[in-house]
Amino acid sequence: MEILTVVIVAILLQYFFFALKVGMARGKYEVHAPAISGHPVFERYYRVHMNTLEQLLIFLPGVALFAYWVNAEVAAALGFVFFIGRFIYYKSYIDDPKKRGLGFGLTLFPSLILAIGGAVGAVLNLL
């Protein structure tokens, strides 16, 4: 479970890093709060941050359920893939949003595996 904790904290810190990058982009591109649009590059930073939040809603319960019902070390490994996927998504989306597919896939598929695997593990435990 310790490695899973480290991976989850790394992902939460990554999310915080993305929030900081949005704030920095807000200043650099002069997009004043509460606006969330204006400069296209600012909007890319903002979308990376918001998409990460959207993905965390699937990932966090999924990783907890999978770790509990299936295996914590496998959950941590899938979490690490999610973490790397988010950085690839971040870099590619900022450079060219059309090239975000690999990072998105490396985020989405681990999350789905974790959520479905956790549910299957719970059901099998009922039987």
Side-chain angles (χ1 to χ4, degrees), residues 5 17-18 21 28 54 61-62 71 73 78 80-81 95 101 105:
T5 301
F17 169 76
F18 294 159
K21 296 302 282 186
K28 181 176 181 178
E54 295 160 3
N71 183 289
E73 288 78 20
L78 289 166
F80 184 71
V81 172
D95 292 345

Side-chain angles (χ1 to χ4, degrees), residues 33-125:
I36 57 170
S37 63
H39 193 282
V41 177
F42 164 78
E43 292 174 14
R44 292 175 188 177
Y45 281 101
Y46 180 79
R47 281 307 311 147
V48 166
H49 184 239
M50 288 297 101
N51 184 266
T52 301
L53 177 61
E54 295 160 3
Q55 294 301 317
L56 285 173
L57 289 173
I58 301 166
F59 172 78
L60 288 172
V63 76
L65 294 169
F66 192 98
Y68 185 81
W69 293 110
V70 181
N71 183 289
E73 288 78 20
V74 174
L78 289 166
F80 184 71
V81 172
F82 178 96
F83 178 79
I84 297 302
R86 281 286 93 188
F87 271 124
I88 293 171
Y89 183 85
Y90 163 78
K91 175 74 172 111
S92 61
Y93 200 98
I94 299 304
D95 292 345
D96 180 2
K98 293 176 186 165
K99 296 182 179 177
R100 70 191 185 277
L102 175 62
F104 184 77
L106 289 173
T107 298
L108 179 64
F109 292 118
S111 294
L112 290 174
I113 292 167
L114 289 164
I116 293 167
V120 169
V123 168
L124 291 176
N125 189 62

